[in-house]
Amino acid sequence: MTVVIGFEGSANKIGIGIIRDGEVLSNPRRTYITPPGQGFLPSETARHHRAVVLTVLQEALQQAGLTPADIDCVAYTKGPGMGAPLLTLALVARTVAQLWGRPLVGVNHCIGHVEMGRLITQAHNPTVLYVSGGNTQVIAYSERRYRIFGETIDIAVGNCLDRFARVIKISNDPSPGYNIEQMAKRGSRYVELPYTVKGMDVSFSGILSFIEETLFSMLVEITERAMAHCGSQEVLIVGGVGCNLRLQEMMGVMCKERGAKLFATDERFCIDNGAMIAQAGWEMFRSGQVTELHDSWITQRYRTDEVEVTWRD
Amino acid sequence: MAAPGSVQIEPGKLEFALDVPFPSSREASIALQSLSPDREPRKGGISKILTLSGSTLSVRWTADEARILRVSVGAFMDNLSLVLETMEMFGPPLPQS
């Protein structure tokens, strides 16, 4: 039996989750929500996380019905993400790891999303579309690496949606993307906008004044291209933008046409959360990876394919 | 020859020294290991050295400009206080096996 606690805070969500052998025991989360028209900046976000981190940690333990002695390993997000918020969580993770005498595992945030998606959906070896405010990547596993098949050449699709929401002053509560989706459901006019796919990659910065249909079509296209290259019959969508039902619907149509299966998780797990870090940490720890304290520095840039995936063959 | 324990200050450089006492050397060491892994966000113009002596954590900064020094010291104090609060809420350290 292995119990891992995971600390996540790379953007405006702070989550601490506990996993025991594939079972999510607790996964509390808080979101730093800014007024309409404003995005979130690193120092204010770090201040938000700082104010709640110890409370959320206590909640995670209480809701799981565990004490520190029950924890086998402490996982935290090493990167990528915003520096100051990442550091806030890393400081607490390093400190409790030492207080409790447990090993530390530094997790790649993107891999956290992938491993949570795999755990919850039990997808076997899917082509992964990872879409969030900070990241847009098409990922496929091959020979001990999560290979990046395609990605945005400029901004993430979620960043694009968030900035659009800011311009027209849509509320950020619970998230700008959610509110765009609700409004889009009531829309009926399709406006043709620049559609920018370059082979395996996409570009979003040229089309900030637009609608979901175009963005999501681009993502479906590059996912399909990666599936064709890999001969894959499964698609897994992870990341906050993955909550979007229209994206899931459009991806579903493409999958049906190919006879492939679509997997997605609900908002508990596709939005940044602590349990996903715990899950990736669980996989890493069980396959023998730990992070020495002096190597536990956080980093704003951390490519998904930099990690040696020792837990898959 | 400089007296033992003193620091040579290069002309034009600013210095700041901080000594933080802990209840034990184990706890001082925990704080040190939590606070030392990350590089300074700003590459040039500032250096920070953390050392342990007994149950005291010592920090020494040298910087070219007051503004840079102030930002680094301020950030360190925020980080230190978070580590201390964490130790207070989740300590004392479990006995080492």
Side-chain angles (χ1 to χ4, degrees):
Chain A
M1 199 175 69
T2 306
V3 180
V4 180
I5 187 167
F7 289 73
E8 157 56 31
S10 58
N12 67 330
K13 277 77 68 186
I14 169 180
I16 300 175
I18 301 179
I19 294 222
R20 178 179 59 206
D21 294 339
E23 195 192 338
V24 179
L25 300 181
S26 63
N27 199 12
R29 174 174 69 207
R30 300 269 202 286
T31 307
Y32 171 47
I33 298 178
T34 45
Q38 284 182 37
F40 54 90
L41 296 171
S43 53
E44 320 160 344
T45 308
R47 239 187 319 270
H48 167 271
H49 292 356
R50 167 87 174 77
V52 301
V53 59
L54 297 179
T55 307
V56 177
L57 174 51
Q58 280 184 317
E59 269 172 36
L61 289 164
Q62 267 158 31
Q63 287 169 19
L66 297 179
T67 65
D70 302 315
I71 306 289
D72 296 307
C73 170
V74 176
Y76 72 99
T77 305
K78 185 174 175 64
M82 294 172 129
L86 280 170
L87 180 58
T88 303
L89 277 286
L91 288 171
V92 176
R94 290 175 197 145
T95 304
V96 298
Q98 294 179 81
L99 288 172
W100 303 341
R102 298 292 187 251
L104 198 59
V105 175
V107 173
N108 178 300
H109 179 89
C110 316
I111 294 186
H113 276 290
V114 173
E115 292 305 333
M116 199 69 204
R118 287 179 65 227
L119 173 69
I120 296 295
T121 66
Q122 293 290 300
H124 173 60
N125 185 22
T127 305
V128 179
L129 175 65
Y130 170 34
V131 277
S132 71
N135 293 281
T136 295
Q137 297 174 13
V138 177
I139 297 164
Y141 173 74
S142 170
E143 286 178 32
R144 300 282 164 120
R145 295 279 156 152
Y146 282 116
R147 313 278 168 183
I148 302 173
F149 259 73
E151 59 190 311
T152 177
I153 62 178
D154 39 56
I155 63 176
V157 61
N159 191 355
C160 194
L161 291 164
D162 291 349
R163 288 205 217 173
F164 174 58
R166 237 181 276 163
V167 166
I168 63 176
K169 296 233 173 12
I170 293 178
S171 165
N172 293 321
D173 188 2
S175 77
Y178 178 83
N179 292 325
I180 289 177
E181 183 176 4
Q182 302 320 306
M183 289 174 73
K185 281 182 192 166
R186 306 197 297 265
S188 53
R189 251 185 70 217
Y190 173 69
V191 178
E192 178 119 19
L193 293 160
Y195 180 103
T196 324
V197 168
K198 298 174 190 290
M200 284 291 186
D201 296 326
V202 285
S203 161
F204 294 114
S205 64
I207 48 174
L208 272 182
S209 55
F210 65 81
I211 279 168
E212 295 181 329
E213 298 297 298
T214 310
L215 296 190
F216 295 163
S217 298
M218 289 158 62
L219 294 171
V220 171
E221 181 183 329
I222 62 171
T223 304
E224 185 170 17
R225 192 160 287 131
M227 286 167 79
H229 272 258
C230 299
S232 158
Q233 285 299 95
E234 291 171 311
V235 173
L236 171 64
I237 308 180
V238 299
V241 178
C243 295
N244 189 298
L245 297 173
R246 182 63 187 133
L247 172 60
Q248 290 180 26
E249 191 181 13
M250 290 168 72
M251 194 69 77
V253 167
M254 178 274 284
C255 283
K256 191 152 176 241
E257 284 166 10
R258 296 182 67 88
K261 247 191 119 179
L262 174 63
F263 296 91
T265 63
D266 63 42
E267 57 84 35
R268 285 172 301 166
F269 303 113
C270 56
I271 296 180
D272 290 350
N273 63 91
M276 74 186 193
I277 302 302
Q279 176 58 18
W282 187 93
E283 295 279 23
M284 290 171 71
F285 180 57
R286 297 257 302 208
S287 70
Q289 286 197 47
V290 290
T291 306
E292 299 300 324
L293 276 154
H294 62 262
D295 280 331
S296 71
W297 36 268
I298 53 99
T299 172
Q300 292 181 227
R301 293 191 215 300
Y302 193 6
R303 298 277 294 170
T304 310
D305 53 15
E306 273 179 57
V307 176
E308 211 200 326
V309 182
T310 50
W311 58 95
R312 292 184 66 177
D313 33 49
Chain B
M1 174 88 169
S6 75
V7 177
Q8 292 285 64
I9 306 176
E10 293 169 43
K13 286 230 190 255
L14 299 167
E15 197 202 51
F16 189 84
L18 182 70
D19 289 314
V20 188
F22 281 84
S24 68
S25 62
R26 169 111 190 272
E27 281 156 296
S29 167
I30 290 175
L32 173 75
Q33 302 223 71
S34 291
L35 291 161
S36 53
D38 311 285
R39 291 157 210 141
E40 279 294 301
R42 195 198 171 90
K43 269 131 205 154
I46 184 110
S47 88
K48 180 179 91 213
I49 299 172
L50 282 83
T51 50
L52 206 58
S53 49
S55 59
T56 302
L57 172 66
S58 298
V59 196
R60 295 288 179 273
W61 282 265
T62 46
D64 293 332
E65 291 168 34
R67 181 182 47 90
I68 303 174
L69 181 61
R70 197 172 56 233
V71 166
S72 180
V73 173
F76 181 82
M77 296 305 281
D78 287 338
N79 295 339
L80 173 66
S81 89
L82 177 57
V83 169
L84 291 174
E85 272 183 54
T86 308
M87 290 173 76
E88 203 158 335
M89 200 176 275
F90 293 95
L94 294 178
Q96 280 167 311
S97 45

